[in-house]
């Protein structure tokens, strides 16, 4: 995974850090940058979030006498030197310069300063940042070892850096032809003022501003700096300076590329007074709903819906990962209840193993907040080859998945920064509802306006004590029936990913087929019951848990009598909406429960350990 950026212009450190902050959703195991100054490299590396790198760079700006021990200049890349070097002589200047930077999600090699990017050529005069996985790196590394090359770390990326002696377009071309796998790379050299770049299967974008030039994993890095950007295709490479940008295609021909407008709607990057992005984003579900109501009345979107409706299909597949997969389950449920055709949903990483019947009569609906998730993208490409029609529902309208689809429906949720997906899930479900209504030829705007009035984020005086209690458990189960089971799955994922509490979701009726053996007084079971038709059966399953000593928390929109009320340790009331909206109404408070529990446990919910927001490796 990882996020990469290259920048030429003034205030290079600040601009690289600002870019890395935007890319941090791609990983935060370590961050690093190299700046070329007077034919030397200044290197900064730190473990953990970009904040740590920023502190290192800022400290150096404010009071270099205190020194930043890990700054490396010239050829001193050895780790002990990295730790001990006194950098008093390397004063920071905020003049024109160029540099590259990286935020890492570790794949090959442990989280360490040695494995932190940028990586360097043997002579240490070429520096590289890389996103992706080089599948043949071991073969290449063995060849280099035989030639006497030394490696300081374990990464596949360092191998690419070591393949380059002198950086120019020919050596870049020769190098990338040797690589198998996925890569977006940006390189600089001590000997010239260009950024060199290449892309294969990992996203990479290029932009030229008035007084700067940039290459990055995500065009959001260009906001405020350039009006347009170029999107690179697989196999393309090139170089950029302040004067010119040159692109080569995969056949090594110089090509003209068409720039796209940098149209960033719904951008809001501040916490705006909230303690974390996650809680802000849960509340932003309301704004997402407003954005959707507005945008889905525009002709541009209605045309897309019309085209989807006109394409003949007799099978529909919903495909996504994690939370997006759960949104797909909601989509499947919406469609199943309305159309008499074959409908399936699948986790993207398992999709190709199932040998589904996919052909030109299939509509494959891909759900992805980022539009870059590797497993989902791979399933999308598989479906394309089979001739299916591809619809992507995404928060990222310029993403690779959006570009590779026949149709793209935006979810208009605005940038989601917290790793745990919240408003995007909500917005995906809303768009799936719209799709169903449109295909049925029914109005969707009025029901959505009503939902807006009924949205229920719950009472923190009820949710916080429950979260406090929940934080003391090691094991939590979530149960429900029908759509409540899907809500249970999503709530369970949210809880485990940001609180590190073991949690699992089950269909209520499944408990007695095995898992009931785990129930005792040390287990909390969260019961989701918002469907009148299924309510009594779910309550009976809850009582079976109570009888075995388990603790119960109920999330319901259905009134309870006194006897039933007494069986539950906690009852959380949810505002009733039309039944179809209940899963997305209910998840709001369950997301908040996960959030409050993480905060009580002292975990930063925006950056849970071992995870990244955008998962660009299979
Ligand atoms: C969980 C979560 C992940 C993502 C999954 C897919 O809170 O955020 O499960 O939903 O990694 O990501 P996208 O939607 O970007 O394809």
């Amino acid at each position: 995974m990882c996020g990469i950026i290259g920048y030429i212009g003034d205030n290079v450190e600040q601009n690289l850090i600002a870019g890395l902050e935007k890319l941090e959703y791609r990983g935060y195991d370590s961050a690093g940058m190299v700046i070329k100054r007077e034919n030397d490299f200044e290197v900064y590396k730190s473990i953990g979030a970009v904040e740590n790198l920023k502190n290192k760079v800022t400290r150096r700006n404010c009071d270099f006498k205190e020194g930043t021990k890990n700054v490396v200049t010239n050829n001193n890349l050895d780790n002990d030197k990295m730790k001990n070097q006194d950098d008093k002589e390397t004063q920071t200047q905020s003049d024109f310069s160029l540099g590259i930077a990286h935020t890492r999600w570790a794949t090959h090699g442990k989280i360490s300063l040695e494995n932190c990017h940028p990586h360097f050529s043997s002579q240490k005069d070429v520096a590289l940042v890389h996103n992706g996985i080089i599948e043949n790196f071991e073969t290449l590394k063995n060849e280099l070892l035989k030639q006497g090359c030394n490696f300081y770390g374990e990464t596949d990326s360092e191998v690419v850096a070591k393949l380059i002696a002198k950086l120019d377009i020919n050596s870049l071309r020769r190098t990338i032809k040797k690589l198998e796998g996925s890569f977006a790379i940006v390189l600089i050299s001590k000997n010239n003022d260009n950024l060199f770049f290449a892309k294969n299967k990992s996203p990479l974008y290029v932009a030229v501003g008035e007084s700067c030039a940039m290459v990055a994993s995500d065009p959001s890095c260009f906001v405020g700096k350039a009006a347009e950007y170029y999107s690179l295709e697989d196999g393309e490479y090139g170089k950029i300076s302040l004067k010119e940008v040159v692109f080569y295609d995969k056949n090594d021909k110089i090509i003209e590329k068409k720039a796209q407008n940098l149209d960033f709607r719904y951008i809001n990057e501040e916490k705006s007074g909230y303690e974390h992005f996650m809680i802000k984003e849960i509340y932003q579900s309301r704004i997402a709903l407003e954005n959707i109501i507005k945008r889905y009345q525009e002709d541009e979107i209605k045309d897309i819906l019309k085209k989807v409706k006109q394409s003949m299909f007799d099978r529909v597949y919903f495909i996504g990962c994690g939370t997006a997969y759960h949104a797909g389950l909601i989509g499947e449920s919406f469609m199943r209840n309305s159309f008499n055709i074959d409908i399936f949903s699948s986790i993207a990483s398992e999709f190709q193993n199932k040998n589904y019947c996919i052909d030109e009569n299939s509509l494959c609906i891909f759900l992805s907040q980022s539009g870059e998730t590797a497993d989902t993208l791979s399933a999308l490409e598989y479906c394309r080859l089979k001739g299916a029609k591809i619809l992507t529902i995404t928060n990222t309208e310029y993403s690779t998945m959006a570009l590779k689809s026949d149709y793209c429906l935006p979810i208009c949720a605005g940038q989601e920064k917290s790793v745990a997906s919240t408003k995007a899930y909500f917005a995906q479900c809303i768009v799936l509802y719209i799709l169903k209504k449109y295909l049925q030829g029914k109005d969707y705007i009025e029901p959505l306006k009503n939902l807006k009035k009924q949205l229920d984020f719950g009472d923190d005086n009820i949710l916080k004590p429950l979260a406090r209690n929940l934080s003391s458990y090691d094991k939590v189960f979530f149960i429900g029936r029908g759509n409540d089971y899907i809500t249970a799955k999503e709530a369970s994922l949210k809880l485990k990913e940001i609180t590190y509490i073991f949690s699992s979701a089950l269909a209520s009726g499944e408990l007695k087929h095995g898992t009931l053996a785990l129930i005792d007084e040390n287990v909390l079971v969260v019961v989701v019951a918002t469907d009148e038709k299924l309510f009594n059966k779910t309550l009976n399953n809850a009582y079976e848990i109570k009888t075995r000593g388990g603790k119960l928390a109920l999330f319901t929109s259905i009134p309870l009598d006194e006897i039933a009320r007494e069986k539950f340790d906690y009852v959380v009331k949810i505002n009733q909406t039309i039944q179809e909206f209940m899963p997305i109404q209910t998840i709001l408070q369950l997301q908040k429960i996960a959030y409050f529990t993480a905060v009580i446990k002292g975990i930063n919910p925006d950056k849970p350990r071992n995870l990244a927001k955008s998962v660009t490796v299979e």
Side-chain angles (χ1 to χ4, degrees):
M1 259 138 45
C2 314
I4 61 173
I5 179 167
Y7 182 88
I8 312 178
D10 61 358
N11 294 321
V12 66
E13 301 96 325
Q14 287 88 335
N15 283 308
L16 287 175
I17 292 282
L20 285 187
E21 283 173 338
K22 289 188 174 137
L23 295 172
E24 210 172 5
Y25 71 88
R26 305 177 71 85
Y28 39 80
D29 287 335
S30 65
M33 69 158 83
V34 56
I35 294 159
K36 179 185 168 234
R37 232 187 276 287
E38 290 170 12
N39 300 333
D40 263 338
F41 283 157
E42 266 179 40
V43 183
Y44 301 81
K45 292 189 176 191
S46 65
I47 301 300
V50 171
E51 183 76 23
N52 299 342
L53 184 73
K54 186 178 178 177
N55 288 339
K56 198 171 251 190
V57 175
T58 312
R59 269 205 320 269
R60 191 165 181 270
N61 280 345
C62 295
D63 182 3
F64 71 88
K65 280 184 197 148
E66 266 181 29
T68 1
K69 300 292 184 201
N70 292 345
V71 171
V72 182
T73 58
N74 298 335
N75 298 335
N76 299 326
L77 241 191
D78 305 332
N79 210 31
D80 53 340
K81 286 188 189 155
M82 216 184 248
K83 289 200 179 79
N84 296 321
Q85 174 150 351
D86 188 323
D87 59 322
K88 281 181 191 160
E89 329 80 359
T90 41
Q91 293 187 26
T92 302
Q93 310 142 21
S94 55
D95 52 358
F96 156 90
S97 190
L98 74 159
I100 54 177
H102 185 275
T103 179
R104 179 169 188 238
W105 187 77
T107 54
H108 293 66
K110 60 185 178 291
I111 301 164
S112 68
L113 285 179
E114 292 93 331
N115 291 333
C116 175
H117 296 223
H119 288 297
F120 296 85
S121 61
S122 293
Q123 296 308 313
K124 305 197 172 68
D125 48 9
V126 176
L128 160 142
V129 286
H130 166 224
N131 164 219
I133 292 183
I134 306 300
E135 283 159 13
N136 59 336
F137 87 100
E138 276 171 342
T139 316
L140 296 170
K141 190 170 179 172
N142 282 334
E143 282 166 17
L144 288 164
L145 284 168
K146 275 187 212 143
Q147 291 162 24
C149 183
N150 290 319
F151 289 86
Y152 49 80
E154 304 144 296
T155 64
D156 51 342
S157 314
E158 190 192 339
V159 176
V160 184
K162 293 286 190 295
L163 286 171
I164 296 182
K166 179 173 164 283
L167 182 61
D168 57 25
I169 208 72
N170 292 326
S171 64
L172 176 68
R173 180 182 304 126
R174 278 195 305 275
T175 302
I176 60 175
K177 304 283 176 201
K178 292 181 189 160
L179 306 180
E180 287 166 20
S182 58
F183 55 86
I185 51 176
V186 188
L187 305 97
I188 58 172
S189 137
K190 286 183 185 174
N191 307 320
N192 66 58
D193 284 337
N194 290 292
L195 296 171
F196 289 80
F197 53 83
K199 175 229 164 18
N200 192 46
K201 296 186 193 159
S202 296
L204 199 62
Y205 304 88
V206 174
V208 185
E210 268 190 13
S211 55
C212 65
M214 291 162 283
V215 183
S217 303
D218 186 325
S220 66
C221 295
F222 309 146
V223 173
K225 298 257 161 233
E228 315 181 307
Y229 68 98
Y230 302 92
S231 179
L232 293 183
E233 301 284 323
D234 286 347
E236 289 180 353
Y237 59 97
K239 61 176 186 171
I240 187 167
S241 67
L242 277 182
K243 294 197 200 91
E244 59 164 4
V245 52
V246 186
F247 295 109
Y248 293 81
D249 69 7
K250 60 175 186 245
N251 300 317
D252 309 319
K253 298 233 159 46
I254 291 186
I255 47 165
E256 292 281 323
K257 283 187 75 73
K258 202 167 160 301
Q260 291 160 262
N261 284 339
L262 195 59
D263 173 16
F264 268 79
R265 303 189 202 204
Y266 322 120
I267 239 183
N268 181 357
E269 293 171 350
E270 305 305 319
K271 283 194 198 139
S272 324
Y274 289 97
E275 201 183 337
H276 298 100
F277 281 107
M278 181 173 174
I279 188 69
K280 178 190 167 189
E281 287 164 3
I282 293 171
Y283 284 113
Q284 279 184 323
S285 296
R286 181 186 293 285
I287 299 172
L289 180 56
E290 285 165 5
N291 291 339
I292 291 174
I293 292 174
K294 199 158 163 263
R295 187 109 184 253
Y296 277 73
Q297 295 184 69
E298 290 173 9
D299 288 344
E300 169 218 358
I301 296 289
K302 284 193 179 158
D303 276 355
I304 300 169
L305 287 165
K306 197 167 154 193
K307 284 184 190 144
V308 175
K309 193 171 180 173
Q310 281 166 350
S311 64
M312 297 292 294
F313 51 84
D314 52 24
R315 275 183 306 277
V316 178
Y317 297 88
F318 292 91
I319 302 143
C321 299
T323 290
Y325 163 66
H326 295 154
L329 292 174
I330 295 287
E332 178 190 340
S333 155
F334 284 164
M335 290 274 199
R336 254 187 213 292
N337 295 331
S338 318
F339 303 99
N340 192 17
I341 52 175
D342 285 335
I343 301 168
F344 307 91
S345 36
S346 175
I347 296 166
S349 58
E350 282 299 316
F351 185 72
Q352 293 170 63
N353 304 335
K354 290 186 178 171
N355 289 324
Y356 282 119
C357 171
I358 317 276
D359 59 24
E360 54 284 358
N361 296 323
S362 310
L363 174 67
C364 297
I365 303 180
F366 291 88
L367 292 134
S368 177
Q369 189 284 128
S370 62
E372 300 293 347
T373 303
D375 291 321
T376 315
L377 199 50
S378 163
L380 187 153
E381 270 157 5
Y382 171 82
C383 294
R384 270 211 89 80
L385 286 175
K386 299 258 176 187
K389 283 270 176 285
I390 311 289
L391 164 63
T392 286
I393 298 179
T394 183
N395 204 21
T396 319
E397 293 173 56
Y398 57 81
S399 60
T400 311
M401 285 174 60
L403 298 178
K404 293 196 168 182
S405 300
D406 297 298
Y407 323 108
C408 173
L409 289 173
I411 63 167
C412 317
Q415 194 180 18
E416 196 179 58
K417 292 197 103 177
S418 183
V419 162
S421 190
T422 54
K423 61 178 177 175
Y425 176 72
F426 177 93
Q428 279 164 346
C429 294
I430 299 286
V431 169
L432 288 163
Y433 171 79
I434 292 177
L435 180 65
K436 175 194 102 158
K437 285 291 194 186
Y438 188 91
L439 294 177
Q440 285 179 319
K442 292 191 182 156
D443 172 50
Y444 46 83
I445 295 298
E446 269 323 296
L448 292 178
K449 285 185 177 163
N450 289 335
L451 173 65
K452 205 180 117 191
K453 289 183 210 139
Q454 294 163 332
L455 277 189
D456 182 6
F457 292 91
D459 178 350
D460 289 359
N461 292 321
I462 293 172
L463 296 176
K464 281 183 179 171
L466 170 55
R468 183 157 295 284
N469 188 270
L470 203 154
S471 67
S472 63
Y473 284 87
D474 293 331
K475 242 190 273 135
V476 176
F477 290 103
F478 289 79
I479 62 167
R481 284 172 185 262
N483 281 352
D484 289 330
Y485 173 40
I486 304 173
T487 307
K489 279 173 177 280
E490 175 55 12
S492 169
L493 176 62
K494 217 85 316 178
L495 186 80
K496 78 176 85 159
E497 83 175 300
I498 60 166
T499 68
Y500 317 149
I501 294 172
F502 172 85
S503 108
S504 176
L506 283 116
S508 305
E510 265 304 285
L511 259 175
K512 57 187 175 294
H513 298 293
T515 310
L516 208 53
L518 293 177
I519 301 296
D520 60 21
E521 60 285 356
N522 299 317
V523 176
L524 178 76
V525 179
V526 178
V527 183
V528 186
T530 68
D531 188 336
E532 195 106 46
K533 296 192 300 298
L534 307 171
F535 191 59
N536 286 337
K537 278 193 176 175
T538 304
L539 284 202
N540 287 335
N541 298 135
Y543 300 158
E544 288 154 18
I545 295 160
K546 189 78 189 167
T547 312
R548 275 126 188 122
K551 299 286 178 287
L552 288 173
L554 175 68
F555 282 68
T556 189
S557 51
I558 298 163
L560 283 181
D561 61 34
E562 223 16 67
I563 300 169
R565 171 75 190 75
E566 277 176 9
K567 306 259 196 220
F568 290 91
D569 300 278
Y570 290 90
V571 175
V572 178
K573 194 86 190 61
I574 297 151
N575 216 3
Q576 185 71 46
T577 64
I578 57 169
Q579 201 59 50
E580 283 162 308
F581 289 148
M582 281 319 289
I584 43 179
Q585 175 81 307
T586 312
I587 199 64
L588 297 172
Q589 297 198 51
L590 286 159
Q591 289 168 345
K592 283 180 75 179
I593 281 290
Y595 170 75
F596 288 137
T597 309
V599 173
I600 288 163
K601 291 190 79 175
I603 295 167
N604 176 356
D606 289 341
K607 288 184 188 147
R609 69 185 178 202
N610 305 339
L611 300 179
K613 178 109 192 113
S614 185
V615 187
T616 55
V617 290
E618 282 185 60

